[in-house]
Amino acid sequence: MESQRTFLFIGLLLVSFLLFTEWQKDYNKPIADTSATQTTTVASSSNTDADVPTSTSGLPPQVTTQADRQLISVTTDVLAIKIDSKGGDIVEAKLLKHMEKHGSDIPYLLLGEFEGKQYHSQSGLVGLNGPDAAKEGRPVYQSAQSEYTLTGDSLVVPLTYVDGKGVTFTKTYTFKPGNYDVVMNYDINNPTAEPIQVQLYTQIKRTVQDKGSMVDQTYLGATYGTSEEPYEKYSFSDMAEANLNKATQGGYIAFIQHYFVSAWVPEQNTNNLIYSAIRNGQGIIGIKAEPVNIAAGDQATLSAQYYMGPKDTDALEAIHSDLDLTVDYGWLWFISQPLLNLLKLLHSFIGNWGFAIIAITLIVKTLLYPLTKAQYTSMAKMRMLQPKMQALKERYGDDRQKFGQAMMEMYRKEKVNPMGGCFPLLLQMPIFLALFYVFLESTELRHAEFGLWLTDLSSKDPYFVLPILFGASMFLTQKLQPMTVTDPMQQKMMTWMPVIFSVFFLWFPSGLVLYWLVSNIISIAQMLYIYRGMEKQGMKVRG
């Protein structure tokens, strides 16, 4: 049994190492974290026109000359964005309620230019008469103001373009207080004597990054949803291998990263085509709607919704029923989501995320107590059988078959299940890992304060107090459960396990380490309680 416990610990160690490695890649090196002070500029080398999809498929190779344009500033209570009048694209978005670093007053830069890298949202009209498909390049919209500020219940930012035939295209963004999503409408007025045809596209482009993470929670790349596939990832490497070409009714596309997401959601009653491409070092994922015919003298309105903000499950689900899946808890989502809801509920009463973590740990450990009791009881009984086990080894020597038969007979007579200590541990692991995903992925814990020296539960403990206490609790657990294994290698690994885990946890988010520390302390208390009860029954389970 002890040998099997050792291998379980080794497996957990490996998983922890992989999670730590991948978390480091995403959390310490996010594209948007290091350059939030930069100002987005309109560069003549951006090749914006080359990113416009055609009305059928693919991307046109031509790059047209840059026309005069300006950046239009829009400020709400939660967003500060810049819209490029050429194309009407959102080329910068700062999240005013989320700071770049804990304790700073610099808003987090979600969209923009980052040391030569780009992350932009684009939209336009292609098709036979779409202004974005014109040979002279994308249209330059006119705006009545260069700056807009939300002061009421909504803010409407209209951009107008009139083509050479007199067709008026009005691209309007509507913002609301407290919202990270914006509604975009295209109002098309065709006063000519001939019908026209346009096709709405919305897309997100981002500079190609390193190969995506093998851990879901640190994935950086594109995702999409269709009527048949509610959530699928499409990484930069996937884009390099093949262009995405998915027909669907409704759907959505998004780029996700640690804590934040940007996503386009088209009208859900239309037939759309989800596509992708890599062009000039930019990974592109987008949606094209079906062509729309506008009769002579007629008008039409096309709409889409764009989200740019934190991974707030409630806000995302309100935009699209599947968009909350971009808060990616991996294959344990069905456990993680209820646990997150419980954590939010506890925080609503307690008002402190650190104490909420302690509270949810208490609840989980209490609910799992029957499994914990079965685990420790089985392990204690196995230790009590060690002298008899040793006697059987001496009696049968190298005859493994007879030794195995005698051992199983002994288990039967003593009413001991040799796997009784393993199964409860295995059953608990999905819950522990699901909580790990919750702590790692939940935006609510980003820059959340606990108290004293712990001012950010999403970052490492600055003085490494929690990792050291965790190692001490793990060491105490081992002392209270004397090892009976005789293999020197296993003994060394078990002895050094607290040190190894403490070293790994030095750079883990302090909220995660707090959970594991409290869990260990509760486990020690439960173990002592269980052993005391067994000793009262005359069973010697320690020493």
Side-chain angles (χ1 to χ4, degrees):
M1 171 58 202
E2 293 291 344
S3 175
Q4 293 170 355
R5 282 188 65 225
T6 301
F7 286 116
L8 285 172
F9 270 114
I10 294 173
L12 179 58
L13 177 63
L14 178 60
V15 171
S16 299
F17 174 74
L18 291 175
L19 290 171
F20 160 71
T21 302
E22 299 304 322
W23 175 84
Q24 283 285 88
K25 290 180 182 178
D26 179 75
Y27 185 77
N28 285 339
K29 299 179 180 179
I31 298 173
D33 275 355
T34 58
S35 56
T37 57
Q38 294 188 21
T39 302
T40 300
T41 58
V42 180
S44 61
S45 60
S46 62
N47 294 347
T48 303
D49 296 341
D51 298 330
V52 178
T54 64
S55 58
T56 54
S57 63
L59 298 173
Q62 74 274 7
V63 179
T64 59
T65 59
Q66 301 288 314
D68 294 334
R69 77 247 212 171
Q70 63 175 330
L71 290 181
I72 302 164
S73 299
V74 180
T75 305
T76 73
D77 56 330
V78 295
L79 290 170
I81 73 170
K82 293 186 184 298
I83 301 173
D84 188 346
S85 64
K86 183 166 188 178
D89 297 333
I90 299 176
V91 295
E92 180 177 290
K94 293 180 180 180
L95 311 183
L96 302 181
K97 300 294 185 181
H98 298 265
M99 298 301 106
E100 178 190 358
K101 296 180 180 179
H102 180 69
S104 75
D105 57 357
I106 301 175
Y108 188 87
L109 184 62
L110 180 62
L111 303 180
E113 307 252 348
F114 317 97
E115 298 179 350
K117 301 180 178 66
Q118 289 184 348
Y119 185 13
H120 292 169
S121 166
Q122 298 182 315
S123 56
L125 296 174
V126 289
L128 295 178
N129 307 103
D132 291 270
K135 293 182 179 180
E136 58 270 19
R138 302 190 68 196
V140 176
Y141 290 87
Q142 301 300 312
S143 174
Q145 303 172 212
S146 60
E147 296 183 1
Y148 292 84
T149 302
L150 175 65
T151 56
D153 294 335
S154 65
L155 173 64
V156 177
V157 179
L159 308 173
T160 305
Y161 172 76
V162 181
D163 69 7
K165 296 181 180 180
V167 179
T168 301
F169 301 89
T170 304
K171 186 175 188 178
T172 303
Y173 290 103
T174 302
F175 300 83
K176 292 186 177 181
N179 286 16
Y180 290 96
D181 60 286
V182 54
V183 175
M184 183 203 68
N185 289 326
Y186 262 108
D187 294 307
I188 307 152
N189 181 19
N190 178 22
T192 69
E194 298 180 358
I196 61 172
Q197 185 186 87
V198 297
Q199 187 176 14
L200 174 65
Y201 77 91
T202 54
Q203 65 183 26
I204 307 169
K205 72 171 184 177
R206 186 166 189 162
T207 300
V208 174
Q209 305 298 304
D210 295 334
K211 185 176 180 180
S213 163
M214 57 185 162
V215 178
D216 289 344
Q217 273 50 52
T218 57
Y219 175 77
L220 170 63
T223 66
Y224 67 90
T226 68
S227 56
E228 297 180 353
E229 301 169 299
Y231 175 71
E232 293 292 331
K233 296 177 182 177
Y234 210 73
S235 65
F236 292 116
S237 58
D238 292 330
M239 294 181 186
E241 291 178 4
N243 290 335
L244 190 61
N245 190 30
K246 290 271 186 178
T248 181
Q249 181 176 7
Y252 69 87
I253 55 100
F255 258 103
I256 65 174
Q257 64 191 69
H258 199 200
Y259 294 131
F260 302 101
V261 59
S262 68
W264 273 110
V265 179
E267 293 181 333
Q268 296 299 293
N269 59 352
T270 61
N271 294 321
N272 302 306
L273 179 69
I274 298 177
Y275 62 90
S276 72
I278 289 183
R279 199 65 179 268
N280 299 321
Q282 305 291 320
I284 299 170
I285 188 167
I287 296 184
K288 286 184 291 187
E290 55 191 351
V292 174
N293 295 309
I294 305 171
D298 204 356
Q299 300 177 353
T301 299
L302 306 177
S303 299
Q305 199 165 1
Y306 182 63
Y307 182 91
M308 43 188 159
K311 291 180 178 178
D312 184 325
T313 53
D314 294 334
L316 293 170
E317 189 174 14
I319 299 171
H320 189 284
S321 59
D322 296 327
L323 195 56
D324 63 318
L325 296 177
T326 58
V327 186
D328 194 347
Y329 297 118
W331 65 279
L332 292 171
W333 61 268
F334 57 94
I335 303 176
S336 296
Q337 288 183 345
L339 288 174
L340 174 61
N341 292 333
L342 176 59
L343 186 64
K344 289 181 178 179
L345 178 63
L346 292 170
H347 178 263
S348 67
F349 288 105
I350 299 173
N352 182 289
W353 286 107
F355 286 113
I357 290 174
I358 294 174
I360 198 172
T361 309
L362 285 166
I363 292 173
V364 170
K365 293 296 290 184
T366 300
L367 293 176
L368 293 177
Y369 177 74
L371 293 177
T372 302
K373 183 177 181 180
Q375 174 188 345
Y376 286 132
T377 301
S378 177
M379 290 165 58
K381 289 181 178 180
M382 288 295 294
R383 283 196 296 273
M384 293 170 59
L385 293 178
Q386 286 301 315
K388 293 183 179 181
M389 184 79 70
Q390 187 62 33
L392 290 177
K393 288 182 179 180
E394 294 175 357
R395 179 184 302 176
Y396 295 105
D398 296 332
D399 193 334
R400 293 181 178 274
Q401 183 176 359
K402 290 184 178 180
F403 171 72
Q405 292 174 348
M407 182 175 62
M408 296 306 296
E409 179 64 20
M410 178 186 67
Y411 289 153
R412 186 185 65 80
K413 289 181 179 180
E414 299 291 342
K415 298 180 180 180
V416 173
N417 181 0
M419 298 298 293
C422 286
F423 285 136
L425 183 61
L426 290 175
L427 290 173
Q428 293 177 58
M429 286 308 298
I431 297 177
F432 294 152
L433 290 175
L435 277 171
F436 182 99
Y437 295 155
V438 168
F439 297 150
L440 191 65
E441 183 75 349
S442 301
T443 306
E444 292 82 356
L445 293 176
R446 184 177 186 266
H447 297 170
E449 294 189 11
F450 181 23
L452 299 176
W453 74 98
L454 295 175
T455 58
D456 184 1
L457 291 171
S458 67
S459 64
K460 67 180 182 180
D461 184 333
Y463 302 110
F464 308 119
V465 175
L466 291 183
I468 293 173
L469 290 176
F470 171 82
S473 68
M474 200 171 181
F475 179 77
L476 179 58
T477 302
Q478 288 189 354
K479 287 299 182 182
L480 294 173
Q481 293 179 299
M483 287 186 294
T484 57
V485 294
T486 57
D487 180 67
M489 180 60 69
Q490 291 187 29
Q491 287 183 342
K492 288 182 179 179
M493 293 185 68
M494 292 297 291
T495 301
W496 282 96
M497 197 67 68
V499 177
I500 296 173
F501 266 80
S502 294
V503 172
F504 281 143
F505 280 10
L506 290 178
W507 292 275
F508 263 62
S510 55
L512 291 173
V513 186
L514 176 64
Y515 163 75
W516 282 104
L517 171 61
V518 174
S519 180
N520 269 10
I521 293 173
I522 297 173
S523 294
I524 291 172
Q526 290 178 338
M527 178 175 58
L528 292 173
Y529 177 77
I530 293 168
Y531 285 173
R532 187 176 295 113
M534 295 177 68
E535 288 171 346
K536 287 181 179 180
Q537 298 175 9
M539 300 173 62
K540 186 178 180 181
V541 296
R542 290 179 289 179

